[in-house]
Amino acid sequence: MSALAATVERSTGRVDDQGLLFEYTIKLVLFVGFFELVLYRLVSRLGMHISKIAAQHEWIGTTFQLLTSVGFALLNVVAIFVFLALVVLLLNRMRARGIAGIHAITIPSVGLLLILTVAFLIVPPAMLGSIAYNVITLIALTALMIEYVSQHHEWSKRIMSATYYFGISGWLYYQIFSTTYGWMGVITPPPFVYEAHRVGEALMVLASMLVLWAYGRGISFRTRNRQQRRRAIWFGAVSGLLFLALLFMDYFLGLYNPVLAHSIRKAGEGISWIFQMGMGYTFYLPFAFYVAGLLCWSYTVIRLVTMGRLAGYGLALMFMAGYALLFSSLTLMVILGVMLLTLDRPKGVVMEHATVAKPPLVSTQDSLVGGQI
């Protein structure tokens, strides 16, 4: 008798595969991070934008101060949970894979980011510290993206991840070289720094749309499932009509009522100012593209999170952090999100042995009378 090896693929793409502590930690990160985004990075900027109205009505100013205080407290809470989740992931990765290959870059670089984050809480970073932090972030992000591309062979996921990587790298390039020139006392702007910032924002918006292509497998017009086909038709129709309406709204409003069109443009400038201060988006692209990216990203994240997929949590954190990584917690949120994407994959082939009969070297012969020898 001998053992014949059979290969079985087991999924590691669920959040409960990483342990109970990590499961509740990452759920709290997503929940608290969403409210921190709304209450602190967006609502607080809205309060600054309507300061004249708040001066006339005291209760408005008091309400925004309360919401801003809650949002700032949530910023500290989400930073703690992001730090804890990264520590758990690093320990699991070191125990399961060791420090070899690409992990010899990802584990030390992410660990160094965590150490610098704690150190900068004690000693505030100067320009040189900010440069080092952003450079290490770029190294860690590059290594994680190489790992992700080597594990996922679907072109949709590769293109989406590459688009996001070059998008967020536009911000890191802008920060690294702008801070470096300021530290050296150079007055002239770095080469292509503003162009990289603009291209990076456009790629981030494009990546938020490509998320649906890479992970939104529930939407397909060619499926035989009537419910999925009906869902795809409704989502495509509503999204297409909304996109076209927003894209040509300014033109038609200008023809219908120029005064109303001017008022809506002013409101749009206020919204862009809020998002620029909160998430780093300048809204220099047509507003319809940002809404299209938000719809594609929201549908995909909600679908994956309800399924318990790690990719849903990773994509949520990557785009909730925004384009401008103004806080260390946002930088760690991006790193954590990409690490979750690398875990959302089939586990390596596991060898399972099934006992089967091995044929003898010399076969036996049946007797002439039909008996057994």
Side-chain angles (χ1 to χ4, degrees):
M1 304 292 289
S2 68
L4 180 64
T7 61
V8 179
E9 284 195 353
R10 297 174 180 172
S11 173
T12 60
R14 295 185 56 83
V15 66
D16 50 9
D17 293 335
Q18 302 299 318
L20 194 61
L21 174 62
F22 181 80
E23 178 183 356
Y24 284 100
T25 301
I26 199 63
K27 289 181 178 179
L28 284 173
V29 167
L30 182 60
F31 182 78
V32 179
F34 174 76
F35 283 100
E36 178 271 328
L37 168 64
V38 174
L39 295 178
Y40 183 68
R41 283 188 277 159
L42 299 182
V43 172
S44 62
R45 271 65 179 184
L46 178 61
M48 295 168 59
H49 188 66
I50 61 173
S51 57
K52 294 182 179 179
I53 301 177
Q56 297 175 359
H57 303 280
E58 184 178 354
W59 66 272
I60 296 180
T62 304
T63 302
F64 276 101
Q65 287 179 1
L66 177 61
L67 293 177
T68 302
S69 300
V70 174
F72 183 75
L74 292 178
L75 177 65
N76 296 325
V77 173
V78 74
I80 294 172
F81 283 120
V82 167
F83 191 92
L84 177 60
L86 279 174
V87 170
V88 173
L89 274 186
L90 281 181
L91 293 177
N92 289 343
R93 181 172 290 223
M94 291 175 62
R95 183 169 57 251
R97 308 176 187 179
I99 304 179
I102 195 66
H103 306 298
I105 301 176
T106 57
I107 294 177
S109 57
V110 176
L112 185 57
L113 277 180
L114 296 177
I115 294 173
L116 288 178
T117 302
V118 176
F120 289 158
L121 292 176
I122 302 173
V123 180
M127 285 188 176
L128 188 58
S130 300
I131 296 170
Y133 195 86
N134 287 319
V135 169
I136 297 172
T137 300
L138 185 59
I139 294 173
L141 190 63
T142 303
L144 287 170
M145 282 300 179
I146 292 174
E147 180 182 350
Y148 177 84
V149 170
S150 64
Q151 293 171 353
H152 295 80
H153 302 289
E154 300 92 336
W155 280 106
S156 58
K157 294 181 179 179
R158 287 185 170 186
I159 293 174
M160 184 276 298
S161 61
T163 305
Y164 178 85
Y165 169 75
F166 287 110
I168 202 69
S169 297
W171 166 259
L172 293 175
Y173 176 86
Y174 172 80
Q175 284 292 99
I176 291 172
F177 283 93
S178 297
T179 310
T180 301
Y181 272 48
W183 176 60
M184 297 172 59
V186 180
I187 302 177
T188 57
F192 304 109
V193 67
Y194 298 111
E195 291 80 0
H197 187 275
R198 288 295 184 92
V199 172
E201 179 179 344
L203 291 177
M204 285 287 289
V205 176
L206 178 60
S208 64
M209 300 179 191
L210 294 177
V211 162
L212 182 65
W213 178 41
Y215 286 96
R217 298 300 176 85
I219 293 183
S220 176
F221 295 99
R222 295 179 296 179
T223 180
R224 295 182 179 180
N225 190 314
R226 292 184 178 181
Q227 182 179 2
Q228 292 184 2
R229 187 165 59 245
R230 192 182 304 115
R231 185 189 307 167
I233 293 173
W234 273 103
F235 184 83
V238 173
S239 301
L241 290 176
L242 183 61
F243 178 79
L244 292 175
L246 291 174
L247 191 62
F248 297 102
M249 180 179 62
D250 184 75
Y251 174 74
F252 288 113
L253 283 177
L255 295 178
Y256 173 72
N257 191 339
V259 177
L260 179 61
H262 179 73
S263 301
I264 292 180
R265 289 192 201 102
K266 287 294 183 182
E269 291 175 1
I271 294 174
S272 65
W273 183 84
I274 293 169
F275 275 87
Q276 181 178 1
M277 296 295 294
M279 301 184 69
Y281 293 108
T282 61
F283 279 62
Y284 77 95
L285 297 173
F287 184 69
F289 289 99
Y290 296 91
V291 176
L294 178 62
L295 288 175
C296 296
W297 170 80
S298 301
Y299 173 85
T300 308
V301 167
I302 292 173
R303 178 176 177 271
L304 293 177
V305 168
T306 54
M307 294 171 58
R309 292 275 301 276
L310 284 170
Y313 293 89
L315 292 171
L317 297 178
M318 288 162 58
F319 288 93
M320 279 170 49
Y323 180 54
L325 307 178
L326 299 176
F327 307 108
S328 59
S329 61
L330 302 180
T331 302
L332 296 181
M333 192 180 293
V334 169
I335 297 297
L336 176 60
V338 179
M339 290 183 71
L340 292 177
L341 283 188
T342 61
L343 291 175
D344 188 82
R345 62 183 181 86
K347 187 184 288 185
V349 200
V350 180
M351 304 299 292
E352 292 188 354
H353 300 283
T355 304
V356 295
K358 180 180 179 181
L361 296 178
V362 180
S363 60
T364 59
Q365 297 179 354
D366 295 335
S367 64
L368 296 177
V369 294
Q372 295 181 351
I373 298 178

